[in-house]
Amino acid sequence: MVVASYPKSGDMTEGRSAKLELRNADTNRSIDATGKTYNGRYAFDGLTTMEPSLGRLLVGGFTISVGGQEMGTYKPNENDSAHVRKLAEACIG
C-alpha cells in the first residue's frame, strides 16, 4: 500500500528521503518515504504493508509527520469514502 502526504511548506527537494510517521495514542507506524512531484504537487510517499496496526490507524485516526515535522491529522467520519473503510477492513482481517 502506498501512503502519501502533501506538505504545504518545508524542504521540497526532489528525491529527498524522510520518515513518514502515522501515530495516535495506541499505534505508531514509520514508513521510509521519498519526495516527488506528481501532477504539479509535491508529495512524500512510501510503501507499507497492510497490517492490523495500519487498519487501526485508519479506523482510529492519526497525526502524520514527515521527517519529524507534523503535517496534519486524519480523523475518520461519516463522509469517509468506502475505499478507506475497505482498506481498514483488509488490514485488520
Side-chain angles (χ1 to χ4, degrees):
M1 178 172 177
V2 175
V3 176
S5 175
Y6 295 89
K8 294 177 184 169
S9 63
D11 182 355
M12 296 189 191
T13 304
E14 197 76 17
R16 177 179 164 223
S17 296
K19 290 287 184 187
L20 194 138
E21 294 185 73
L22 312 177
R23 69 180 180 284
N24 64 24
D26 301 324
T27 307
N28 184 21
R29 183 102 174 180
S30 181
I31 302 164
D32 292 325
T34 304
K36 301 175 184 143
T37 303
Y38 293 110
N39 297 324
R41 289 184 68 195
Y42 188 81
F44 282 98
D45 71 358
L47 293 173
T48 191
T49 55
M50 296 177 71
E51 297 176 359
S53 62
L54 182 59
R56 287 190 298 274
L57 287 164
L58 291 172
V59 170
F62 56 86
T63 298
I64 189 165
S65 300
V66 176
Q69 181 181 0
E70 190 173 306
M71 295 289 154
T73 59
Y74 166 77
K75 293 184 181 184
N77 61 46
E78 66 278 355
N79 296 320
D80 286 338
S81 55
H83 73 276
V84 172
R85 289 189 300 273
K86 287 180 182 179
L87 284 170
E89 290 171 9
C91 291
I92 294 169

